[in-house]
Amino acid sequence: MPILTEKDYTFELILQAAKDGAAAALGAPRLTPSLELETRIVHGEEIGFMVRLLEIFAGPEGAYSQFIYGDYLMGKRFLEQNQPYAILLIGAKTSPSPLAWDCGACGFPTCGEFNRFANENKSAGMFGYGPACNWLMMDFGIALAQASAAIYAKNVDSRQQGSYGAAALILGMMPGMDAIIANSVGPLNRGIFQEWYNRPEMKGSFSMDKIYEMLIATFAYHFGAFSGDGIPMIKNTDDWFWEPFKAGTGPMPEAVEILPQILEKAGEVTLEYEQWLQERAAGDGDS
Amino acid sequence: MREKIYEFEPYNRAQKNHTLEVARLAANAALTAPKAGGVDGVECEILTGDDLLALADVMERESHKFSGHVKRRFLYETVMARESDVCLVIGHYRSAGTPLDAGCGFCAGRMDCSFVYNARKTEHGVIDLTAVSPEERAKVPFHGPMCVPRNLDLGIAVGSAMVITQRLLVDAMPFYTVSVAAQRMGILPRSWIKVAILMSSRQKNPYVDVLPDYHLHNLATMEDDLRKMFVTLRGVYWYDYKTWYPRWTKGSGDDPEKE
């Protein structure tokens, strides 16, 4: 093969950029002497399982989370188009704290009390395991920034994504790590929107009605009428003065109902992933 | 107005000014660093000259609150602060008062933010930091609990600032001890947590290759002792160089007068 084209080496370059990011993270400057930091690089079918989890977290058409929906569409599109793409996972163990600095940021007067609380209460939230030592977490942040800078130095697009990190955590891709942030690396070439990570696939996903509904719900005060009477009216239509719409507060029971359903579906994908890993390992053994 | 007069410039003034320029660019990098939800929260302050020396004095005083290796860190890193050109302090003004509210779990392993909110005085979900008395706040360097992902953002900002210092080949290192001193000094008062980065453009990186008892045996103390010993020696072996030159002892072969 006398002439190599992008098709021959693009994925290799992306993997190299991801490896450079991993090296930068592992060698990053630290505030503490004791952060346990690990990196992994995943691609191909493994990303497929992460994408499936994000689809569940995002909900139908992003009903549960618009942010995660955009990340889901991005990964789905890359896989469908067979784009050269890898994910650099950077994980950290953020408790117990070996520092003995007694800094107080965690809410406990001493590291010893924090560690006792951590031992008794360690469990998962939406994005990772807590409680976490704030200084170990800051070291984790420094490593993330250095990884991104190393990838950026190669002119390879990348984006730090907590969504894929949470998916990796749930799938057990980095056992022992409390927090994982994913760094999506690649593709090399610029997309038709000149970049890949601005969620271009969100285009056409929502009607203007839906967008205004989100805007009014999020920034009610921006659409508020004269509030001097203590009952602020929201200008939710052009004819708002004929159809008064009152701002207020109320319970959100659907949020409580949806969470167990999401966790159940996520558990199913995790089991499938474990089975896939076992089958792959058995296949490797056969060969 | 206060005026301090030093006989000895600690080092080259131009280098110090250049380091200051790098610190400004590093602060910009911290401001533009990625953040959870794209929400602002990072602020910076740069200390030089007398302010930096005052910061080092605070570090030295703080050391007395600790023992063992933590005390040593404070004392040794005080030396490094005094050898630095600049200290860039990066704070996060949302960590204590306006959490991410995402139920991330990092503060207490829960699906909600109740750990932080229950520990603070709130009114309809708005945290009232004014309810923490100065005495209560002063019991620890950084009064918590804080929003951990906000502090992850702070770490990312510090990492971005460090990228600039590395690219521009200025020696820099973030320090917990300097951060505590900056907090005690009231630098960036809106930020209840902050990270201080020392920067230096000396020909030898002042943050590595540290001797035991470094607070006693460092370049500044060596230079100081040199001054002390040398002037004494001058006084003991004085002579009128215009009228007299000491002779070598007989037969040494190195007597310039003989030649």
Side-chain angles (χ1 to χ4, degrees):
Chain A
M1 192 184 293
I3 297 177
L4 298 173
T5 69
E6 286 89 355
K7 284 181 185 170
D8 302 313
Y9 53 69
T10 298
F11 185 61
E12 191 184 317
L13 289 175
I14 283 171
L15 274 186
Q16 188 56 53
K19 288 176 187 173
D20 288 351
L26 293 168
R30 303 267 173 87
L31 281 154
T32 76
S34 41
L35 177 71
E36 287 184 42
L37 190 88
E38 292 183 11
T39 61
R40 301 278 188 282
I41 296 170
V42 295
H43 58 86
E45 286 182 77
E46 309 234 24
I47 295 178
F49 284 98
M50 300 164 97
V51 169
R52 284 179 59 194
L53 273 183
L54 294 199
E55 183 179 14
I56 294 166
F57 297 151
E61 296 186 348
Y64 309 152
S65 170
Q66 299 292 314
F67 276 113
I68 297 177
Y69 188 57
D71 290 352
Y72 152 69
L73 288 174
M74 180 208 80
K76 177 170 172 276
R77 180 179 56 152
F78 285 169
L79 291 180
E80 285 172 354
Q81 297 178 354
N82 201 24
Q83 291 280 359
Y85 164 56
I87 294 179
L88 167 63
L89 298 175
I90 304 176
K93 187 168 171 52
T94 52
S95 77
S97 172
L99 298 176
W101 289 352
D102 301 341
C103 85
C106 58
F108 296 92
T110 66
C111 293
E113 285 169 74
F114 166 77
N115 286 337
R116 274 192 292 281
F117 177 78
N119 286 336
E120 292 165 9
N121 294 280
K122 191 161 190 168
S123 58
M126 294 292 186
F127 293 105
Y129 285 93
C133 166
N134 285 269
W135 296 92
L136 294 178
M137 194 56 105
M138 279 188 257
D139 262 355
F140 182 39
I142 292 173
L144 294 175
Q146 300 265 314
S148 292
I151 298 166
Y152 170 79
K154 299 274 183 185
N155 272 357
V156 176
D157 278 0
S158 74
R159 186 170 184 132
Q160 289 177 15
Q161 292 168 311
S163 54
Y164 282 91
L169 200 71
I170 291 168
L171 292 170
M173 288 178 169
M174 298 183 79
M177 295 292 103
D178 298 322
I180 303 175
I181 295 289
N183 213 325
S184 287
V185 184
L188 276 188
N189 57 321
R190 296 271 160 171
I192 55 171
F193 298 97
Q194 289 304 304
E195 53 108 308
W196 293 104
Y197 295 115
N198 201 24
R199 303 182 174 93
E201 282 296 301
M202 297 289 274
K203 183 183 172 188
S205 297
F206 309 108
S207 66
M208 190 62 109
D209 304 349
K210 181 74 178 170
I211 290 168
Y212 261 88
E213 191 184 319
M214 287 188 290
L215 282 173
I216 293 169
T218 309
F219 307 108
Y221 63 89
H222 180 60
F223 297 90
F226 177 67
S227 61
D229 55 6
I231 311 170
M233 198 187 292
I234 303 299
K235 298 181 279 187
N236 64 327
T237 67
D238 283 341
D239 298 329
W240 58 273
F241 31 82
W242 299 118
E243 296 178 80
F245 187 84
K246 194 180 81 171
T249 56
M252 200 175 160
E254 64 270 24
V256 180
E257 291 166 11
I258 289 166
L259 186 60
Q261 296 169 19
I262 292 175
L263 294 177
E264 188 182 342
K265 286 181 188 170
E268 289 169 9
V269 176
T270 306
L271 286 174
E272 275 185 54
Y273 176 66
E274 284 173 8
Q275 195 176 350
W276 179 82
L277 283 176
Q278 285 169 6
E279 287 170 7
R280 191 177 65 170
D284 289 346
D286 293 342
S287 60
Chain B
M1 181 179 162
R2 292 157 64 183
E3 186 176 359
K4 290 193 178 178
I5 297 123
Y6 299 102
E7 181 180 1
F8 303 103
E9 275 292 335
Y11 44 90
N12 186 289
R13 185 67 61 184
Q15 278 171 274
K16 181 180 277 191
N17 289 337
H18 299 164
T19 314
L20 177 59
E21 291 304 315
V22 173
R24 287 173 175 149
L25 294 172
N28 255 26
L31 292 181
T32 61
K35 297 164 185 75
V39 178
D40 62 284
V42 168
E43 60 178 353
C44 302
E45 188 164 340
I46 295 170
L47 280 72
T48 60
D50 291 347
D51 291 319
L52 182 50
L53 293 173
L55 182 74
D57 291 344
V58 174
M59 291 172 69
E60 212 162 57
R61 285 202 294 275
E62 283 291 311
S63 73
H64 290 279
K65 297 177 181 171
F66 303 94
S67 60
H69 74 96
V70 180
K71 185 184 178 86
R72 276 197 297 277
R73 282 189 68 150
F74 270 91
L75 289 174
Y76 292 12
E77 289 164 12
T78 298
V79 176
M80 298 176 197
R82 289 182 178 138
E83 286 193 4
S84 296
D85 302 337
V86 173
C87 178
L88 168 62
V89 184
I90 306 175
H92 204 301
Y93 53 78
R94 296 196 184 281
S95 295
T98 44
L100 186 63
D101 296 337
C104 75
F106 288 130
C107 64
R110 301 174 190 169
M111 290 282 194
D112 54 42
C113 302
S114 58
F115 181 73
V116 167
Y117 279 89
N118 289 344
R120 299 284 191 194
K121 184 176 184 297
T122 63
E123 193 62 61
H124 284 73
V126 177
I127 292 175
D128 182 4
L129 289 178
T130 64
V132 183
S133 68
E135 295 76 21
E136 177 64 25
R137 197 178 162 190
K139 286 179 181 172
V140 288
F142 304 97
H143 193 277
M146 296 193 191
C147 176
V148 180
R150 293 280 194 229
N151 285 343
L152 176 63
D153 277 353
L154 176 57
I156 291 173
V158 172
S160 294
M162 293 296 292
V163 169
I164 293 298
T165 63
Q166 289 163 331
R167 292 251 165 92
L168 296 173
L169 304 181
V170 164
D171 292 323
M173 199 175 281
F175 289 94
Y176 172 75
T177 53
V178 193
S179 311
V180 171
Q183 176 80 350
R184 296 294 193 203
M185 268 182 82
I187 307 297
L188 297 174
R190 270 209 307 169
S191 292
W192 283 40
I193 193 158
K194 58 210 56 164
V195 172
I197 302 172
L198 294 179
M199 297 184 194
S200 161
S201 297
R202 289 190 168 199
Q203 298 198 36
K204 171 75 181 93
N205 184 339
Y207 314 127
V208 296
D209 304 338
V210 174
L211 294 170
D213 283 336
Y214 193 56
H215 60 303
L216 303 177
H217 316 306
N218 56 72
L219 189 58
T221 57
M222 297 291 169
E223 285 176 351
D224 188 59
D225 280 339
L226 177 64
R227 290 186 193 114
K228 180 185 71 179
M229 301 304 288
F230 184 69
V231 294
T232 307
L233 183 113
R234 282 176 62 184
V236 170
Y237 293 99
W238 67 273
Y239 68 95
D240 181 1
Y241 68 93
K242 294 188 286 294
T243 58
W244 182 75
Y245 191 87
R247 289 184 173 277
W248 293 98
T249 54
K250 195 176 179 182
S252 70
D254 293 328
D255 188 347
E257 297 294 318
K258 285 183 181 175
E259 294 168 7

